Amino acid sequence: MKLFRRIFLLVLCLAVWIPFSTTAAEQPASSVVAVTIKGEIDGGQSALLHRAFQEAQKNNAQAMLIELDTFGGLVDAAVQMRDLIIDSPIPTICYIKNRAWSAGALIALAHQSIAIAPGGSIGAAEPIPTTEKTVAALKAEFAATANKTGRNPRVAEAMVDKSLGLPGYAEPGQILALTDYQAKEVGFADFVAVDRAAVLTQYGFAGATVIEYQPQWTDRLAGWLSNPAIKSGLLSLIFLAVLAEIKTAGTGVGALVAIVAAVLFFGSQWLTGVAGLLEILLFAGGCILLVVELYVPGVGLFGIAGLASILASFFLSLGANMSALTTMTVSLLIAIIAFAVLARYLPSSKLWAKLVLKDSETTQDGFTSADDYNAYLGCEGITITQLRPAGRIEVNNIQLDVVSEGRFLPSGIKVKIVSVKGNRIVVHPIEE
């Protein structure tokens, strides 16, 4: 019995220990994804951060560490990055290594935790151009972000609007920029950290595995394509290629150029996280509807719906705001001007012939306007009514309303048309 009891206890211990040891062995070590945002803030930086967040969630990382060193950049890219950080289910830590100015300050304020390096600074976010509209919009963005992360919105507003100032740090008329110790004093930094290791230790990730994310060629490509001038140029090229394809339908060159330009346009938006599946489906569906319109008889409903779908996809991808409308309008005007110049050198298709009226009815070809009586000048006719002085005559079996030269003329006599001015026809009797 004792032997059986010992064997039972041994089996029981093994049954408890083996699952415990297996669970402990399979428990992943804590990991932190680190991303360095350095240089100008643009679509490439946004694409890098978007990719890092996707991988961090996929690998169940415990935190994201974003190291900032930037003078600023594009506001729309900074807003995209700000939204990514605020909406992230993964805790984020910002480490300002040297400076987080302008758009970089907005990105920093989106974090719940901020550390700053000795000699670092944050702020100086006055927009360029400095108009009432741009200042008000960016000031609201800064204030809302600071309030969301539990910081003083008044301090954030002073970083954008120099008329506010901040007692003890900036006089009214001076834009606010905070040094390392000043940022800590006003609550815009938790502490001053000498290096990354100090940051990780402060927030409880001293032994964590750090996964470093570096920019790839796709991020650099997205940054280049997200430049406002490049995006406008791609839109112009798409519009121009569509017009050229209609003019030369059958060659396919215009369609191919439009497809390549669309792939570049939506590809950059996809990489930066701006364009989603909806925008791409709208564009593809619009193209299909336009093709259907070309080959299916109708009243233009397919074409109108397709064009509206394509324009909606561009509008949504560009941010669905007034800036998007401006970009689209400018791009379309450029495309129309360029097409007007190139159209004469492009061959014409049957489709273009249907859309454009080429034949004209000229006087050289024997055509006259319904109200043009000059053709009757010098013709002879017979009065069919008395002229007192107005009446009617017949010329080549055509009846005309005429007037005499102030004389009474009986019916049935020969007259000659001596003057035509507009619809006033003057006749003179022919002496027998």
Side-chain angles (χ1 to χ4, degrees), residues 29-32 197 200-201 203-210:
S30 61
S31 60
V32 175
L200 294 175
T201 300
Y203 295 108
F205 297 102
T209 301
V210 178

Side-chain angles (χ1 to χ4, degrees), residues 320-342:
N321 50 29
M322 287 303 299
S323 177
L325 285 176
T326 302
T327 300
M328 291 174 62
T329 303
V330 172
S331 300
L332 183 58
L333 288 175
I334 293 174
I336 292 174
I337 294 172
F339 179 73
V341 175
L342 295 175

Side-chain angles (χ1 to χ4, degrees), residues 409-424:
L409 297 177
S411 62
I413 68 170
K414 291 183 177 181
V415 293
K416 181 178 181 180
I417 298 175
V418 295
S419 174
V420 176
K421 294 181 179 179
N423 61 353
R424 186 174 185 273

Side-chain angles (χ1 to χ4, degrees), residues 22 42 67 85 90 108 165 193 205 291 296 332 375 426:
T22 303
D42 58 15
E67 297 182 341
I85 295 166
I90 302 173
F205 297 102
V291 172
V296 177
L332 183 58
V426 180

Side-chain angles (χ1 to χ4, degrees), residues 114-327:
I114 301 178
I116 189 168
S121 58
I122 179 175
E126 186 178 40
I128 298 175
T130 309
T131 65
E132 182 179 354
K133 181 179 179 179
T134 57
V135 170
L138 193 58
K139 183 169 66 173
E141 194 75 31
F142 266 68
T145 304
N147 186 66
K148 179 77 173 179
T149 54
R151 298 183 177 90
N152 189 345
R154 176 69 177 74
V155 178
E157 290 177 341
M159 292 180 173
V160 179
D161 189 350
K162 66 182 179 181
S163 67
L164 298 177
L166 186 67
Y169 298 93
E171 296 295 327
Q174 295 179 335
I175 200 71
L176 177 64
L178 301 171
T179 62
D180 50 356
Y181 66 88
Q182 289 176 331
K184 187 174 182 301
E185 288 175 354
V186 300
F188 274 45
D190 301 329
F191 76 111
V192 178
V194 295
D195 54 24
R196 177 189 289 183
V199 175
L200 294 175
T201 300
Q202 173 71 19
Y203 295 108
F205 297 102
T209 301
V210 178
I211 304 172
E212 194 85 37
Y213 275 84
Q214 298 292 342
Q216 297 181 355
W217 68 269
T218 53
D219 303 321
R220 288 187 284 270
L221 177 63
W224 182 73
L225 292 176
S226 64
N227 184 286
I230 299 298
K231 287 194 292 188
S232 180
L234 286 173
L235 273 183
S236 297
L237 186 59
I238 293 172
F239 291 139
L240 176 60
V242 170
L243 292 173
E245 179 61 25
I246 294 174
K247 180 79 163 57
T248 63
T251 62
V253 175
L256 180 61
V257 172
I259 291 172
V260 172
V263 168
L264 291 174
F265 178 82
F266 285 105
S268 66
Q269 305 293 86
W270 178 276
L271 290 172
T272 56
V274 175
L277 188 60
L278 173 62
E279 289 83 353
I280 296 175
L281 288 177
L282 280 173
F283 180 79
C287 292
I288 293 173
L289 288 172
L290 288 179
V291 172
V292 172
E293 178 66 29
L294 295 179
Y295 295 99
V296 177
V299 293
L301 292 179
F302 291 113
I304 294 173
L307 183 61
S309 180
I310 291 174
L311 293 177
S313 69
F314 292 148
F315 179 68
L316 293 174
S317 296
L318 291 171
N321 50 29
M322 287 303 299
S323 177
L325 285 176
T326 302
T327 300

Side-chain angles (χ1 to χ4, degrees), residues 335-357:
I336 292 174
I337 294 172
F339 179 73
V341 175
L342 295 175
R344 67 184 67 180
Y345 303 106
L346 298 175
S348 298
S349 65
K350 293 181 179 179
L351 174 61
W352 182 258
K354 293 179 180 179
L355 297 176
V356 178
L357 179 64

Side-chain angles (χ1 to χ4, degrees), residues 359-368:
D359 298 328
S360 60
E361 298 177 345
T362 63
T363 55
Q364 290 82 356
D365 296 327
F367 294 98
T368 61

